Amino acid sequence: MFILAEDVSSPEEIDLLWENMFQLPSSLPPCRLMDQIGLDTVAFIEDNYVQERGLDSRMTVDWLREKYISPGKLGLKSDKGGLYPPKSAENGVKDEEVLYLLDVGLGSNNSNISLVPTAGRILKFHTSTGKMSTLIEGQSLPDGIDVSRTASRIFWTNMGRSTASNDGSLHSANLDGTDIQTLLPSGTVHTPKQLVVDDVNSKVYFCDREGMGVHRVIFDGTNHDILVRTGSLDKPEERKDMTRWCVGVTLDMGRGYIYWTQKGPSKSGQGRIFRAGIDIPVGQTADNRQDIELLLEGLPEPIDLELDVENQLLYWTDRGEHPTGCSLNRVDVSGRADKAELQSKKEILARQFHEPIGIKLDGKKQVYVTDLGGSVYRVNDGEKSVMWRDNGCYTGIAIS
C-alpha cells in the first residue's frame, strides 16, 4: 500500500511484477487479492498490525480509506471497483451477481420422499437473467455454503442422511461444480450448518448443531479445530438441550471476533447470539473459554448470520413464531456487548418469510434471503422482493 500511496507504481504493475517473480499457480497477485477479499476487510486487518506494532498509518490504511473505502470502492463486491476498476469498465460487459443456493431436498419438487437423504442440490442463479441451473446433485441435506474468491471454489456442509445421526460432512468444488473434494468425511461432524470462508487465512468456519460446537478447518481439510463446545454428545441431557445447538456463524477478521447463534427449541423464544475471539485464549479450551459474550437472548429462533464489517451491523434470519419470527433482523455491534443496549437497538428489516434460513449481503448492502418455502428474496431498504420461487426448499446462499 505504501508503494501505491506514494504513486510509485500502479496495481497492474505491482501484480505483473509479482506474477513474474513470486506467484504460485493457485494464488492471486497482491492487488487482485485485496480486491477479492474486500478493501474494507483489508483495512480492518491492517488496523490491527498498526496498533500492535506502533506503525504509522498515514500512508497505508488511512490512505486506503480516503482513496478507496470512503468513496465506496471496496473491490469486487462493489460496483465501483477497488484497486482495479469494476469489471464493466475493464471489459465493457455488465458485471452481475451470481448466487449459489442449496436446495436441501425436502420440497415437493422431490416427488419421492424416500430419496430425501440424497436429494440435495447446489444451484447457480444469475440475478440479471433469472436463470437457475443445477451444478451438483446427490447431496445429503446440504445447509451452509460460501465462496472463496481466492481459491475460486465453493465450500458447503452436508447435515447427513438424517439429522439424528452423526454423519455430517464438509466439501468443496470449483465454481462450475467440477473437482468435488471431501474435506471432512461423513461422521467427522454431526450436523454441520452455516459455513463461512476466511479468504485471508484459507480457512472455513462452521457450526455443528447437534454436535454443539463451532469448528474451523483449513481449505484442504486439515487442522480441524473445535473453537467453541457448548455441550457433550456423551451426556444425554445435553444432547437433548436445544438451547446448546449452534447454527449460524459469521466472522469479523478485523476485530478478531467470531459470532454464532444458538437457536433454542423451535418457536420457543429462547434463541441467543454470542461472540468470542477467533482464537481460544491461551490456557483455555473450547469447553471453558472465558471470552464468550452473550449479545442477545430471548429471540424467537435465530438461524444464519451475516456481518457488514464496514458498518458493524450484524444481520440474521429468524424462523421463529410470527410476528417477530420468520423475519430478517439487524443490530449495531460496534460498541460493547451490553445486552440491554443491543436489545433496544435491534430492528426487524422484513417479515413474513416462510421459514427463512440463508442470508448474504452484497456490495450494495442489499440482503439476499432464502427460505424453506422455496423462495429467494432480495431486501433493499426494508423492501422485500422475490427473486425466485418454486417448489424447492432452500437453505444456504452465497454470492460470487
Side-chain angles (χ1 to χ4, degrees), residues 214-232:
V214 182
H215 296 237
R216 176 175 64 196
V217 66
I218 293 179
F219 278 3
D220 63 3
T222 60
N223 289 16
H224 180 195
D225 298 319
I226 299 178
L227 303 177
V228 178
R229 186 183 283 114
T230 61
S232 172

PDB file of all heavy atoms in Angstrom, residues 214-232:
ATOM      1  N   VAL A 214     -18.657 -24.896  17.481  1.00  0.00           N
ATOM      2  CA  VAL A 214     -18.200 -24.057  16.371  1.00  0.00           C
ATOM      3  C   VAL A 214     -16.836 -24.584  15.947  1.00  0.00           C
ATOM      4  O   VAL A 214     -15.938 -24.742  16.787  1.00  0.00           O
ATOM      5  CB  VAL A 214     -18.103 -22.579  16.783  1.00  0.00           C
ATOM      6  CG1 VAL A 214     -17.673 -21.731  15.594  1.00  0.00           C
ATOM      7  CG2 VAL A 214     -19.434 -22.078  17.345  1.00  0.00           C
ATOM      8  N   HIS A 215     -16.677 -24.845  14.647  1.00  0.00           N
ATOM      9  CA  HIS A 215     -15.486 -25.523  14.133  1.00  0.00           C
ATOM     10  C   HIS A 215     -14.729 -24.649  13.134  1.00  0.00           C
ATOM     11  O   HIS A 215     -15.289 -23.729  12.542  1.00  0.00           O
ATOM     12  CB  HIS A 215     -15.882 -26.824  13.432  1.00  0.00           C
ATOM     13  CG  HIS A 215     -16.499 -27.847  14.322  1.00  0.00           C
ATOM     14  ND1 HIS A 215     -15.986 -29.116  14.472  1.00  0.00           N
ATOM     15  CD2 HIS A 215     -17.601 -27.803  15.114  1.00  0.00           C
ATOM     16  CE1 HIS A 215     -16.740 -29.810  15.301  1.00  0.00           C
ATOM     17  NE2 HIS A 215     -17.735 -29.034  15.706  1.00  0.00           N
ATOM     18  N   ARG A 216     -13.470 -25.036  12.928  1.00  0.00           N
ATOM     19  CA  ARG A 216     -12.626 -24.371  11.931  1.00  0.00           C
ATOM     20  C   ARG A 216     -11.729 -25.413  11.273  1.00  0.00           C
ATOM     21  O   ARG A 216     -11.238 -26.330  11.933  1.00  0.00           O
ATOM     22  CB  ARG A 216     -11.768 -23.293  12.596  1.00  0.00           C
ATOM     23  CG  ARG A 216     -10.787 -22.596  11.661  1.00  0.00           C
ATOM     24  CD  ARG A 216     -10.067 -21.454  12.376  1.00  0.00           C
ATOM     25  NE  ARG A 216      -9.227 -21.937  13.470  1.00  0.00           N
ATOM     26  CZ  ARG A 216      -8.738 -21.151  14.432  1.00  0.00           C
ATOM     27  NH1 ARG A 216      -9.034 -19.860  14.451  1.00  0.00           N
ATOM     28  NH2 ARG A 216      -7.971 -21.652  15.377  1.00  0.00           N
ATOM     29  N   VAL A 217     -11.512 -25.246   9.967  1.00  0.00           N
ATOM     30  CA  VAL A 217     -10.659 -26.179   9.242  1.00  0.00           C
ATOM     31  C   VAL A 217     -10.008 -25.439   8.078  1.00  0.00           C
ATOM     32  O   VAL A 217     -10.577 -24.477   7.545  1.00  0.00           O
ATOM     33  CB  VAL A 217     -11.483 -27.393   8.741  1.00  0.00           C
ATOM     34  CG1 VAL A 217     -12.500 -26.967   7.689  1.00  0.00           C
ATOM     35  CG2 VAL A 217     -10.590 -28.496   8.210  1.00  0.00           C
ATOM     36  N   ILE A 218      -8.816 -25.854   7.698  1.00  0.00           N
ATOM     37  CA  ILE A 218      -8.136 -25.259   6.549  1.00  0.00           C
ATOM     38  C   ILE A 218      -8.801 -25.742   5.262  1.00  0.00           C
ATOM     39  O   ILE A 218      -9.465 -26.779   5.230  1.00  0.00           O
ATOM     40  CB  ILE A 218      -6.631 -25.615   6.588  1.00  0.00           C
ATOM     41  CG1 ILE A 218      -5.978 -24.916   7.792  1.00  0.00           C
ATOM     42  CG2 ILE A 218      -5.916 -25.201   5.311  1.00  0.00           C
ATOM     43  CD1 ILE A 218      -4.511 -25.218   7.956  1.00  0.00           C
ATOM     44  N   PHE A 219      -8.633 -24.989   4.187  1.00  0.00           N
ATOM     45  CA  PHE A 219      -9.283 -25.287   2.911  1.00  0.00           C
ATOM     46  C   PHE A 219      -9.082 -26.728   2.450  1.00  0.00           C
ATOM     47  O   PHE A 219      -9.925 -27.274   1.740  1.00  0.00           O
ATOM     48  CB  PHE A 219      -8.761 -24.351   1.818  1.00  0.00           C
ATOM     49  CG  PHE A 219      -9.412 -22.990   1.797  1.00  0.00           C
ATOM     50  CD1 PHE A 219     -10.355 -22.625   2.742  1.00  0.00           C
ATOM     51  CD2 PHE A 219      -9.072 -22.068   0.818  1.00  0.00           C
ATOM     52  CE1 PHE A 219     -10.953 -21.375   2.722  1.00  0.00           C
ATOM     53  CE2 PHE A 219      -9.667 -20.808   0.778  1.00  0.00           C
ATOM     54  CZ  PHE A 219     -10.603 -20.463   1.733  1.00  0.00           C
ATOM     55  N   ASP A 220      -7.961 -27.349   2.815  1.00  0.00           N
ATOM     56  CA  ASP A 220      -7.712 -28.719   2.355  1.00  0.00           C
ATOM     57  C   ASP A 220      -8.228 -29.773   3.330  1.00  0.00           C
ATOM     58  O   ASP A 220      -8.008 -30.970   3.134  1.00  0.00           O
ATOM     59  CB  ASP A 220      -6.220 -28.938   2.088  1.00  0.00           C
ATOM     60  CG  ASP A 220      -5.364 -28.782   3.342  1.00  0.00           C
ATOM     61  OD1 ASP A 220      -5.929 -28.558   4.440  1.00  0.00           O
ATOM     62  OD2 ASP A 220      -4.124 -28.869   3.224  1.00  0.00           O
ATOM     63  N   GLY A 221      -8.911 -29.343   4.395  1.00  0.00           N
ATOM     64  CA  GLY A 221      -9.486 -30.277   5.345  1.00  0.00           C
ATOM     65  C   GLY A 221      -8.602 -30.609   6.529  1.00  0.00           C
ATOM     66  O   GLY A 221      -9.017 -31.359   7.421  1.00  0.00           O
ATOM     67  N   THR A 222      -7.408 -30.055   6.576  1.00  0.00           N
ATOM     68  CA  THR A 222      -6.501 -30.323   7.690  1.00  0.00           C
ATOM     69  C   THR A 222      -6.708 -29.307   8.813  1.00  0.00           C
ATOM     70  O   THR A 222      -7.431 -28.327   8.665  1.00  0.00           O
ATOM     71  CB  THR A 222      -5.035 -30.278   7.224  1.00  0.00           C
ATOM     72  OG1 THR A 222      -4.749 -28.971   6.687  1.00  0.00           O
ATOM     73  CG2 THR A 222      -4.781 -31.320   6.149  1.00  0.00           C
ATOM     74  N   ASN A 223      -6.032 -29.563   9.932  1.00  0.00           N
ATOM     75  CA  ASN A 223      -6.092 -28.674  11.104  1.00  0.00           C
ATOM     76  C   ASN A 223      -7.532 -28.389  11.526  1.00  0.00           C
ATOM     77  O   ASN A 223      -7.938 -27.236  11.672  1.00  0.00           O
ATOM     78  CB  ASN A 223      -5.353 -27.358  10.835  1.00  0.00           C
ATOM     79  CG  ASN A 223      -3.851 -27.536  10.779  1.00  0.00           C
ATOM     80  OD1 ASN A 223      -3.354 -28.658  10.650  1.00  0.00           O
ATOM     81  ND2 ASN A 223      -3.125 -26.445  10.868  1.00  0.00           N
ATOM     82  N   HIS A 224      -8.280 -29.440  11.729  1.00  0.00           N
ATOM     83  CA  HIS A 224      -9.672 -29.318  12.169  1.00  0.00           C
ATOM     84  C   HIS A 224      -9.705 -28.999  13.664  1.00  0.00           C
ATOM     85  O   HIS A 224      -9.290 -29.816  14.488  1.00  0.00           O
ATOM     86  CB  HIS A 224     -10.416 -30.620  11.867  1.00  0.00           C
ATOM     87  CG  HIS A 224     -11.848 -30.604  12.284  1.00  0.00           C
ATOM     88  ND1 HIS A 224     -12.612 -31.747  12.383  1.00  0.00           N
ATOM     89  CD2 HIS A 224     -12.682 -29.584  12.634  1.00  0.00           C
ATOM     90  CE1 HIS A 224     -13.828 -31.443  12.777  1.00  0.00           C
ATOM     91  NE2 HIS A 224     -13.895 -30.134  12.939  1.00  0.00           N
ATOM     92  N   ASP A 225     -10.188 -27.807  13.999  1.00  0.00           N
ATOM     93  CA  ASP A 225     -10.244 -27.363  15.393  1.00  0.00           C
ATOM     94  C   ASP A 225     -11.688 -27.125  15.818  1.00  0.00           C
ATOM     95  O   ASP A 225     -12.512 -26.662  15.026  1.00  0.00           O
ATOM     96  CB  ASP A 225      -9.474 -26.050  15.586  1.00  0.00           C
ATOM     97  CG  ASP A 225      -8.001 -26.178  15.257  1.00  0.00           C
ATOM     98  OD1 ASP A 225      -7.407 -27.207  15.632  1.00  0.00           O
ATOM     99  OD2 ASP A 225      -7.447 -25.253  14.625  1.00  0.00           O
ATOM    100  N   ILE A 226     -11.990 -27.412  17.067  1.00  0.00           N
ATOM    101  CA  ILE A 226     -13.259 -27.011  17.676  1.00  0.00           C
ATOM    102  C   ILE A 226     -12.971 -25.787  18.534  1.00  0.00           C
ATOM    103  O   ILE A 226     -12.171 -25.842  19.468  1.00  0.00           O
ATOM    104  CB  ILE A 226     -13.864 -28.142  18.520  1.00  0.00           C
ATOM    105  CG1 ILE A 226     -14.150 -29.361  17.642  1.00  0.00           C
ATOM    106  CG2 ILE A 226     -15.157 -27.668  19.188  1.00  0.00           C
ATOM    107  CD1 ILE A 226     -14.700 -30.550  18.404  1.00  0.00           C
ATOM    108  N   LEU A 227     -13.594 -24.673  18.200  1.00  0.00           N
ATOM    109  CA  LEU A 227     -13.327 -23.401  18.872  1.00  0.00           C
ATOM    110  C   LEU A 227     -14.256 -23.166  20.055  1.00  0.00           C
ATOM    111  O   LEU A 227     -13.873 -22.528  21.038  1.00  0.00           O
ATOM    112  CB  LEU A 227     -13.459 -22.252  17.878  1.00  0.00           C
ATOM    113  CG  LEU A 227     -12.562 -22.333  16.642  1.00  0.00           C
ATOM    114  CD1 LEU A 227     -12.854 -21.172  15.708  1.00  0.00           C
ATOM    115  CD2 LEU A 227     -11.096 -22.350  17.037  1.00  0.00           C
ATOM    116  N   VAL A 228     -15.486 -23.634  19.927  1.00  0.00           N
ATOM    117  CA  VAL A 228     -16.479 -23.486  20.998  1.00  0.00           C
ATOM    118  C   VAL A 228     -17.219 -24.810  21.123  1.00  0.00           C
ATOM    119  O   VAL A 228     -17.671 -25.369  20.117  1.00  0.00           O
ATOM    120  CB  VAL A 228     -17.486 -22.357  20.693  1.00  0.00           C
ATOM    121  CG1 VAL A 228     -18.539 -22.273  21.798  1.00  0.00           C
ATOM    122  CG2 VAL A 228     -16.787 -21.019  20.519  1.00  0.00           C
ATOM    123  N   ARG A 229     -17.337 -25.314  22.337  1.00  0.00           N
ATOM    124  CA  ARG A 229     -18.137 -26.515  22.573  1.00  0.00           C
ATOM    125  C   ARG A 229     -19.150 -26.199  23.662  1.00  0.00           C
ATOM    126  O   ARG A 229     -18.786 -25.854  24.786  1.00  0.00           O
ATOM    127  CB  ARG A 229     -17.257 -27.696  22.987  1.00  0.00           C
ATOM    128  CG  ARG A 229     -18.045 -29.006  23.097  1.00  0.00           C
ATOM    129  CD  ARG A 229     -17.181 -30.168  23.571  1.00  0.00           C
ATOM    130  NE  ARG A 229     -16.330 -30.699  22.506  1.00  0.00           N
ATOM    131  CZ  ARG A 229     -15.007 -30.629  22.492  1.00  0.00           C
ATOM    132  NH1 ARG A 229     -14.373 -30.003  23.479  1.00  0.00           N
ATOM    133  NH2 ARG A 229     -14.305 -31.154  21.520  1.00  0.00           N
ATOM    134  N   THR A 230     -20.431 -26.301  23.315  1.00  0.00           N
ATOM    135  CA  THR A 230     -21.490 -25.915  24.254  1.00  0.00           C
ATOM    136  C   THR A 230     -22.122 -27.097  24.970  1.00  0.00           C
ATOM    137  O   THR A 230     -23.009 -26.913  25.804  1.00  0.00           O
ATOM    138  CB  THR A 230     -22.590 -25.130  23.518  1.00  0.00           C
ATOM    139  OG1 THR A 230     -23.165 -25.969  22.504  1.00  0.00           O
ATOM    140  CG2 THR A 230     -22.020 -23.877  22.868  1.00  0.00           C
ATOM    141  N   GLY A 231     -21.709 -28.300  24.628  1.00  0.00           N
ATOM    142  CA  GLY A 231     -22.248 -29.489  25.278  1.00  0.00           C
ATOM    143  C   GLY A 231     -21.498 -30.724  24.834  1.00  0.00           C
ATOM    144  O   GLY A 231     -20.654 -30.678  23.934  1.00  0.00           O
ATOM    145  N   SER A 232     -21.815 -31.839  25.455  1.00  0.00           N
ATOM    146  CA  SER A 232     -21.129 -33.100  25.165  1.00  0.00           C
ATOM    147  C   SER A 232     -22.105 -34.127  24.605  1.00  0.00           C
ATOM    148  O   SER A 232     -23.198 -34.328  25.155  1.00  0.00           O
ATOM    149  CB  SER A 232     -20.482 -33.653  26.438  1.00  0.00           C
ATOM    150  OG  SER A 232     -19.976 -34.959  26.221  1.00  0.00           O
TER     151      SER A 232
END
